[in-house]
Amino acid sequence: MKRLLLLFFSTCLTFSVAIAQCSSNEEEIIITINTDDYPTETSWGLTDQNGLGWTNTPISYSYANTTLIWTLCVPNTNCYTFTIEDANGNGICCAWGSGSYNVTYAGVTVASGGSFGFSEVTNSIGNCAGPIGFAQTIGSL
């Protein structure tokens, strides 16, 4: 079951939606983005090993220099890849504001940053073990 929590924090606006905790066969992923001066250039995606996943909707200019938080409950049997992109190729830090991002999986930080070009990719988030017998095959080479 997919559940999403979206929080917006700024000096003028706070928006939150409460959800139930993740079920026993899910883990919580929290994506936090501190936007720069040009939030419409920023997007992110989270995909599993099957190419399925989530992405943010376009971020409005009204959320410049704002903290945005997405909370997802995802199947704990999958391996995920997180990608953050900047359409202008200057990341979200530092020339046009002090933006940053942080991603946690099961309470552990798995990706963070802000200074990148067009995109930054973090692989192997979650249950990313190779196929059964993979370790034994490598060991016997």
Side-chain angles (χ1 to χ4, degrees), residues 17-85:
V17 177
I19 62 167
Q21 291 182 323
C22 297
S23 66
S24 62
N25 62 344
E26 296 175 320
E27 288 294 347
E28 182 178 69
I29 291 183
I30 300 173
I31 300 165
T32 304
I33 296 181
N34 298 303
T35 62
D36 62 5
D37 296 340
Y38 298 95
T40 59
E41 297 174 357
T42 305
S43 62
W44 61 263
L46 180 72
T47 55
D48 66 16
Q49 71 275 9
N50 302 308
L52 303 173
W54 301 260
T55 187
N56 67 303
T57 57
I59 300 172
S60 165
Y61 273 116
S62 61
Y63 294 113
N65 303 300
T66 301
T67 298
L68 306 174
I69 300 172
W70 293 264
T71 299
L72 307 167
C73 289
V74 300
N76 60 11
T77 55
N78 291 344
C79 180
Y80 299 93
T81 297
F82 176 79
T83 304
I84 187 162
E85 298 178 331

Coordinates of all heavy atoms in Angstrom, one line a residue, residues 17-85:
V17 N 0.0 16.6 6.3 CA -1.1 15.6 6.3 C -0.6 14.5 7.1 O 0.5 14.0 7.0 CB -1.3 15.1 4.8 CG1 -2.3 14.0 4.7 CG2 -1.6 16.3 3.9
A18 N -1.4 14.0 8.1 CA -1.1 12.9 9.0 C -1.4 11.6 8.3 O -2.4 11.5 7.6 CB -1.8 13.1 10.3
I19 N -0.6 10.6 8.5 CA -0.8 9.3 8.0 C -0.5 8.3 9.1 O 0.2 8.6 10.0 CB 0.0 8.9 6.7 CG1 1.5 9.0 7.1 CG2 -0.3 9.8 5.6 CD1 2.4 8.4 6.0
A20 N -1.0 7.0 8.8 CA -0.7 6.0 9.8 C 0.8 5.5 9.6 O 1.4 5.8 8.5 CB -1.6 4.8 9.5
Q21 N 1.4 4.9 10.5 CA 2.7 4.4 10.4 C 2.8 3.3 9.3 O 1.8 2.7 9.0 CB 3.2 3.7 11.7 CG 3.4 4.7 12.8 CD 3.9 4.1 14.1 OE1 3.4 3.0 14.4 NE2 4.7 4.7 14.8
C22 N 4.0 3.1 8.8 CA 4.2 2.0 7.8 C 3.8 0.7 8.4 O 4.0 0.4 9.6 CB 5.6 2.0 7.3 SG 6.1 3.6 6.5
S23 N 3.3 -0.2 7.5 CA 3.0 -1.6 8.0 C 4.3 -2.4 8.2 O 5.4 -2.0 7.8 CB 2.1 -2.2 7.0 OG 2.7 -2.5 5.8
S24 N 4.1 -3.6 8.7 CA 5.3 -4.4 9.0 C 6.1 -4.9 7.8 O 7.3 -5.2 7.9 CB 4.9 -5.7 9.8 OG 4.0 -6.5 9.0
N25 N 5.5 -4.8 6.6 CA 6.2 -5.2 5.4 C 6.7 -4.0 4.6 O 7.0 -4.1 3.4 CB 5.4 -6.1 4.5 CG 4.1 -5.5 4.0 OD1 3.7 -4.5 4.5 ND2 3.5 -6.1 3.0
E26 N 6.7 -2.8 5.2 CA 7.2 -1.6 4.6 C 8.2 -0.9 5.4 O 8.4 -1.1 6.6 CB 6.0 -0.6 4.5 CG 4.9 -1.1 3.6 CD 3.7 -0.2 3.6 OE1 3.3 0.4 4.6 OE2 3.1 0.0 2.5
E27 N 9.0 0.0 4.8 CA 9.9 0.9 5.5 C 9.6 2.3 5.1 O 9.0 2.6 4.0 CB 11.4 0.6 5.1 CG 11.9 -0.7 5.6 CD 12.1 -0.7 7.1 OE1 12.0 0.4 7.8 OE2 12.3 -1.8 7.6
E28 N 10.0 3.2 6.0 CA 9.7 4.6 5.7 C 10.9 5.3 5.0 O 12.0 5.2 5.5 CB 9.4 5.3 7.1 CG 9.1 6.8 6.9 CD 8.8 7.4 8.3 OE1 9.7 7.5 9.1 OE2 7.6 7.7 8.5
I29 N 10.6 6.0 3.9 CA 11.6 6.8 3.3 C 11.1 8.3 3.4 O 10.0 8.6 3.1 CB 11.7 6.5 1.8 CG1 12.4 5.1 1.6 CG2 12.6 7.6 1.1 CD1 12.6 4.7 0.2
I30 N 12.0 9.1 3.9 CA 11.7 10.5 4.1 C 12.7 11.3 3.2 O 13.9 11.2 3.3 CB 11.9 11.0 5.6 CG1 11.0 10.2 6.5 CG2 11.6 12.5 5.7 CD1 11.2 10.5 8.0
I31 N 12.1 12.1 2.3 CA 12.8 12.9 1.4 C 12.6 14.4 1.8 O 11.5 14.9 1.8 CB 12.4 12.7 -0.1 CG1 12.6 11.3 -0.5 CG2 13.1 13.7 -1.0 CD1 11.8 10.9 -1.7
T32 N 13.7 15.1 2.2 CA 13.7 16.5 2.6 C 14.5 17.3 1.6 O 15.6 17.0 1.4 CB 14.3 16.6 4.0 OG1 13.6 15.7 4.9 CG2 14.1 18.1 4.5
I33 N 13.8 18.3 1.1 CA 14.5 19.2 0.2 C 14.3 20.6 0.7 O 13.2 21.1 0.9 CB 13.9 19.1 -1.3 CG1 14.2 17.7 -1.8 CG2 14.6 20.2 -2.2 CD1 13.8 17.4 -3.2
N34 N 15.5 21.3 0.9 CA 15.5 22.7 1.2 C 15.7 23.4 -0.2 O 16.8 23.3 -0.7 CB 16.6 23.1 2.2 CG 16.4 22.4 3.5 OD1 15.4 22.5 4.1 ND2 17.4 21.5 3.9
T35 N 14.7 24.1 -0.7 CA 14.8 24.6 -2.0 C 15.7 25.8 -2.1 O 16.0 26.5 -1.1 CB 13.4 25.0 -2.6 OG1 12.9 26.0 -1.7 CG2 12.5 23.8 -2.6
D36 N 16.2 26.1 -3.3 CA 17.0 27.3 -3.5 C 16.1 28.4 -4.0 O 14.9 28.3 -3.8 CB 18.2 27.0 -4.5 CG 17.7 26.6 -5.9 OD1 16.5 26.6 -6.2 OD2 18.6 26.2 -6.7
D37 N 16.7 29.4 -4.7 CA 15.9 30.5 -5.2 C 15.0 30.2 -6.3 O 14.1 30.9 -6.7 CB 16.8 31.7 -5.6 CG 17.6 32.3 -4.5 OD1 17.3 32.1 -3.3 OD2 18.7 32.9 -4.8
Y38 N 15.3 29.0 -7.0 CA 14.5 28.6 -8.2 C 14.0 27.2 -8.0 O 14.5 26.3 -8.7 CB 15.4 28.7 -9.4 CG 15.9 30.1 -9.7 CD1 17.1 30.6 -9.2 CD2 15.1 31.0 -10.4 CE1 17.5 31.9 -9.4 CE2 15.5 32.3 -10.6 CZ 16.7 32.8 -10.1 OH 17.1 34.1 -10.3
P39 N 13.0 27.0 -7.2 CA 12.5 25.6 -6.9 C 11.8 24.9 -8.1 O 11.8 23.7 -8.2 CB 11.5 25.9 -5.8 CG 11.0 27.3 -6.0 CD 12.2 28.0 -6.5
T40 N 11.4 25.7 -9.1 CA 10.8 25.0 -10.3 C 11.8 24.2 -11.1 O 11.4 23.4 -11.9 CB 10.1 26.1 -11.2 OG1 11.1 27.0 -11.6 CG2 8.9 26.8 -10.5
E41 N 13.1 24.5 -10.9 CA 14.1 23.7 -11.6 C 14.4 22.4 -10.9 O 15.0 21.5 -11.5 CB 15.4 24.5 -11.6 CG 15.4 25.8 -12.3 CD 16.6 26.6 -12.2 OE1 17.6 26.2 -11.5 OE2 16.7 27.7 -12.8
T42 N 13.9 22.2 -9.7 CA 14.2 21.0 -8.9 C 13.2 19.9 -9.1 O 12.0 20.2 -8.9 CB 14.4 21.4 -7.4 OG1 15.3 22.4 -7.3 CG2 14.8 20.2 -6.6
S43 N 13.6 18.7 -9.3 CA 12.7 17.5 -9.3 C 13.5 16.3 -8.7 O 14.7 16.3 -8.6 CB 12.2 17.2 -10.7 OG 13.3 16.9 -11.5
W44 N 12.7 15.3 -8.3 CA 13.3 14.1 -7.8 C 12.5 12.9 -8.2 O 11.3 13.0 -8.5 CB 13.5 14.1 -6.2 CG 12.2 14.3 -5.5 CD1 11.7 15.4 -5.0 CD2 11.3 13.2 -5.1 NE1 10.5 15.1 -4.3 CE2 10.3 13.8 -4.4 CE3 11.3 11.8 -5.3 CZ2 9.2 13.0 -3.9 CZ3 10.3 11.1 -4.8 CH2 9.2 11.7 -4.1
G45 N 13.1 11.7 -8.2 CA 12.5 10.5 -8.4 C 13.0 9.4 -7.6 O 14.2 9.4 -7.2
L46 N 12.2 8.5 -7.2 CA 12.5 7.3 -6.4 C 12.0 6.1 -7.2 O 10.8 6.0 -7.4 CB 12.0 7.3 -5.0 CG 12.3 6.2 -4.1 CD1 13.8 6.2 -3.7 CD2 11.4 6.2 -2.9
T47 N 12.8 5.2 -7.6 CA 12.4 4.0 -8.4 C 12.9 2.7 -7.8 O 14.0 2.7 -7.2 CB 12.8 4.1 -9.9 OG1 14.3 4.2 -9.9 CG2 12.2 5.2 -10.6
D48 N 12.1 1.7 -7.9 CA 12.6 0.4 -7.4 C 13.2 -0.4 -8.6 O 13.4 0.1 -9.7 CB 11.4 -0.4 -6.8 CG 10.3 -0.8 -7.8 OD1 10.6 -0.8 -9.0 OD2 9.3 -1.2 -7.3
Q49 N 13.7 -1.6 -8.3 CA 14.4 -2.4 -9.3 C 13.5 -2.8 -10.5 O 14.0 -3.2 -11.5 CB 15.0 -3.7 -8.6 CG 13.9 -4.7 -8.3 CD 13.3 -4.5 -6.9 OE1 13.5 -3.5 -6.3 NE2 12.5 -5.5 -6.4
N50 N 12.2 -2.6 -10.4 CA 11.3 -2.9 -11.5 C 11.0 -1.7 -12.3 O 10.2 -1.7 -13.2 CB 10.0 -3.5 -11.0 CG 10.3 -4.8 -10.2 OD1 11.0 -5.7 -10.7 ND2 9.8 -4.9 -9.0
G51 N 11.5 -0.5 -12.0 CA 11.3 0.7 -12.7 C 10.0 1.5 -12.2 O 9.6 2.5 -12.8
L52 N 9.4 1.0 -11.1 CA 8.2 1.6 -10.6 C 8.6 2.6 -9.5 O 9.7 2.4 -8.9 CB 7.3 0.6 -10.0 CG 6.8 -0.5 -10.9 CD1 6.0 -1.6 -10.2 CD2 6.0 0.1 -12.1
G53 N 7.8 3.6 -9.2 CA 8.2 4.5 -8.2 C 7.4 5.8 -8.0 O 6.2 5.8 -8.4
W54 N 8.1 6.8 -7.5 CA 7.4 8.1 -7.2 C 8.2 9.2 -7.7 O 9.4 9.1 -7.9 CB 7.3 8.2 -5.7 CG 6.6 7.1 -5.0 CD1 5.3 7.2 -4.5 CD2 7.1 5.8 -4.6 NE1 5.0 6.0 -4.0 CE2 6.0 5.1 -4.0 CE3 8.3 5.2 -4.8 CZ2 6.2 3.8 -3.6 CZ3 8.4 3.9 -4.4 CH2 7.4 3.2 -3.7
T55 N 7.6 10.3 -7.9 CA 8.3 11.6 -8.3 C 7.5 12.7 -7.7 O 6.3 12.6 -7.4 CB 8.4 11.7 -9.8 OG1 9.2 12.8 -10.1 CG2 7.0 11.8 -10.5
N56 N 8.1 13.9 -7.6 CA 7.4 15.0 -7.1 C 6.7 15.7 -8.2 O 7.0 15.6 -9.4 CB 8.4 16.0 -6.4 CG 9.4 16.6 -7.4 OD1 10.1 16.0 -8.1 ND2 9.4 18.0 -7.4
T57 N 5.7 16.5 -7.8 CA 5.0 17.3 -8.8 C 5.8 18.6 -8.9 O 6.6 18.9 -8.0 CB 3.6 17.7 -8.3 OG1 3.7 18.3 -7.0 CG2 2.7 16.4 -8.2
P58 N 5.7 19.4 -10.0 CA 6.5 20.6 -10.1 C 6.4 21.5 -8.9 O 5.3 21.6 -8.3 CB 5.9 21.3 -11.3 CG 5.3 20.1 -12.1 CD 4.8 19.2 -11.1
I59 N 7.5 22.0 -8.4 CA 7.5 22.8 -7.2 C 7.3 24.3 -7.7 O 8.0 24.8 -8.6 CB 8.9 22.7 -6.5 CG1 9.0 21.2 -6.0 CG2 8.9 23.6 -5.3 CD1 10.4 20.9 -5.5
S60 N 6.4 24.9 -7.1 CA 6.0 26.3 -7.4 C 7.1 27.3 -7.0 O 7.8 27.1 -6.0 CB 4.7 26.7 -6.8 OG 4.4 28.0 -6.8
Y61 N 7.2 28.4 -7.7 CA 8.1 29.5 -7.3 C 7.8 30.0 -5.8 O 8.6 30.5 -5.1 CB 8.0 30.7 -8.2 CG 8.9 30.6 -9.4 CD1 8.4 30.5 -10.7 CD2 10.3 30.6 -9.2 CE1 9.2 30.4 -11.8 CE2 11.1 30.5 -10.3 CZ 10.6 30.4 -11.6 OH 11.4 30.3 -12.7
S62 N 6.5 29.8 -5.4 CA 6.2 30.3 -4.1 C 6.9 29.5 -3.0 O 6.8 29.9 -1.8 CB 4.6 30.3 -3.9 OG 4.2 29.0 -4.0
Y63 N 7.5 28.4 -3.3 CA 8.2 27.6 -2.3 C 9.8 27.8 -2.4 O 10.5 26.9 -2.0 CB 7.9 26.1 -2.5 CG 6.5 25.8 -2.1 CD1 5.6 25.4 -3.1 CD2 6.0 26.0 -0.8 CE1 4.2 25.2 -2.8 CE2 4.6 25.8 -0.5 CZ 3.8 25.4 -1.5 OH 2.5 25.2 -1.2
A64 N 10.2 28.9 -2.9 CA 11.6 29.3 -2.9 C 12.1 29.3 -1.5 O 11.4 29.9 -0.6 CB 11.8 30.6 -3.6
N65 N 13.3 28.8 -1.3 CA 13.9 28.8 0.1 C 13.0 28.3 1.2 O 12.9 28.9 2.2 CB 14.4 30.3 0.4 CG 15.3 30.8 -0.7 OD1 16.4 30.2 -0.9 ND2 14.9 31.8 -1.4
T66 N 12.4 27.1 0.9 CA 11.5 26.5 1.8 C 11.9 25.0 2.0 O 12.5 24.4 1.1 CB 10.1 26.6 1.1 OG1 9.7 27.9 0.9 CG2 9.0 25.9 2.0
T67 N 11.6 24.5 3.1 CA 11.8 23.1 3.4 C 10.6 22.3 3.0 O 9.5 22.6 3.5 CB 12.1 22.9 4.9 OG1 13.3 23.6 5.2 CG2 12.3 21.4 5.2
L68 N 10.7 21.3 2.1 CA 9.7 20.4 1.7 C 10.0 19.0 2.1 O 11.1 18.6 2.0 CB 9.5 20.5 0.2 CG 9.3 21.8 -0.4 CD1 9.4 21.7 -1.9 CD2 8.1 22.5 0.0
I69 N 9.0 18.3 2.7 CA 9.2 16.9 3.2 C 8.2 16.0 2.6 O 7.0 16.3 2.7 CB 9.2 16.9 4.7 CG1 10.3 17.8 5.3 CG2 9.4 15.4 5.2 CD1 10.2 18.0 6.8
W70 N 8.7 14.9 2.0 CA 7.8 13.8 1.5 C 8.1 12.6 2.3 O 9.3 12.2 2.5 CB 8.1 13.5 0.1 CG 7.7 14.6 -0.9 CD1 6.5 14.7 -1.6 CD2 8.5 15.7 -1.3 NE1 6.5 15.8 -2.4 CE2 7.7 16.4 -2.3 CE3 9.8 16.1 -1.0 CZ2 8.2 17.6 -2.9 CZ3 10.3 17.3 -1.6 CH2 9.5 18.0 -2.5
T71 N 7.1 11.9 2.9 CA 7.3 10.7 3.6 C 6.5 9.6 2.9 O 5.3 9.7 2.6 CB 6.8 10.8 5.1 OG1 7.5 11.8 5.7 CG2 6.9 9.5 5.8
L72 N 7.3 8.5 2.5 CA 6.7 7.4 1.8 C 6.8 6.1 2.6 O 7.9 5.9 3.2 CB 7.4 7.2 0.5 CG 7.6 8.4 -0.4 CD1 8.6 8.1 -1.5 CD2 6.2 8.8 -1.1
C73 N 5.8 5.2 2.5 CA 5.9 3.9 3.0 C 6.1 3.0 1.8 O 5.3 3.0 0.9 CB 4.7 3.5 3.8 SG 4.5 4.3 5.4
V74 N 7.3 2.3 1.7 CA 7.6 1.5 0.6 C 7.8 0.1 1.0 O 8.2 -0.2 2.1 CB 8.9 2.1 -0.1 CG1 8.7 3.5 -0.6 CG2 10.1 2.0 0.8
P75 N 7.6 -0.9 0.0 CA 7.8 -2.3 0.3 C 9.3 -2.5 0.8 O 10.2 -2.0 0.1 CB 7.5 -3.0 -1.0 CG 6.6 -2.1 -1.7 CD 7.0 -0.7 -1.3
N76 N 9.5 -3.2 1.9 CA 10.8 -3.5 2.4 C 11.6 -4.6 1.6 O 12.7 -4.9 2.0 CB 10.8 -3.7 3.9 CG 10.0 -4.9 4.2 OD1 9.6 -5.7 3.4 ND2 9.8 -5.1 5.5
T77 N 11.0 -5.1 0.6 CA 11.6 -6.2 -0.2 C 12.3 -5.6 -1.5 O 12.9 -6.4 -2.2 CB 10.6 -7.2 -0.6 OG1 9.5 -6.6 -1.3 CG2 10.1 -8.0 0.6
N78 N 12.2 -4.3 -1.7 CA 12.7 -3.7 -2.9 C 14.0 -3.0 -2.7 O 14.3 -2.5 -1.6 CB 11.7 -2.8 -3.5 CG 10.5 -3.5 -4.1 OD1 10.5 -4.7 -4.3 ND2 9.4 -2.8 -4.3
C79 N 14.7 -2.8 -3.8 CA 15.9 -2.0 -3.9 C 15.6 -0.7 -4.6 O 15.0 -0.7 -5.7 CB 17.0 -2.8 -4.6 SG 18.6 -1.9 -4.8
Y80 N 16.0 0.5 -4.1 CA 15.6 1.7 -4.6 C 16.8 2.6 -5.1 O 17.9 2.5 -4.6 CB 14.8 2.5 -3.6 CG 13.5 1.8 -3.2 CD1 13.6 1.0 -2.0 CD2 12.4 1.9 -3.9 CE1 12.4 0.3 -1.7 CE2 11.2 1.3 -3.5 CZ 11.3 0.4 -2.4 OH 10.1 -0.3 -2.0
T81 N 16.5 3.4 -6.1 CA 17.4 4.4 -6.6 C 16.7 5.8 -6.4 O 15.6 6.0 -6.9 CB 17.7 4.2 -8.1 OG1 18.4 2.9 -8.2 CG2 18.7 5.3 -8.6
F82 N 17.5 6.7 -5.8 CA 17.0 8.1 -5.7 C 17.8 9.0 -6.6 O 19.0 9.0 -6.7 CB 17.2 8.6 -4.2 CG 16.8 10.1 -4.1 CD1 15.4 10.4 -4.0 CD2 17.7 11.1 -4.0 CE1 15.0 11.7 -3.8 CE2 17.3 12.4 -3.9 CZ 16.0 12.7 -3.8
T83 N 17.0 9.8 -7.4 CA 17.7 10.8 -8.3 C 17.1 12.2 -8.0 O 15.9 12.4 -7.9 CB 17.4 10.4 -9.8 OG1 17.8 9.1 -10.0 CG2 18.1 11.4 -10.7
I84 N 18.0 13.2 -7.9 CA 17.6 14.5 -7.7 C 18.1 15.3 -9.0 O 19.2 15.0 -9.4 CB 18.0 15.2 -6.4 CG1 17.4 16.6 -6.3 CG2 19.5 15.2 -6.3 CD1 17.4 17.2 -4.9
E85 N 17.3 16.2 -9.5 CA 17.7 16.9 -10.7 C 17.5 18.4 -10.6 O 16.6 18.8 -9.9 CB 16.9 16.4 -11.9 CG 17.1 14.9 -12.2 CD 16.3 14.3 -13.3 OE1 15.1 14.9 -13.6 OE2 16.7 13.4 -14.0

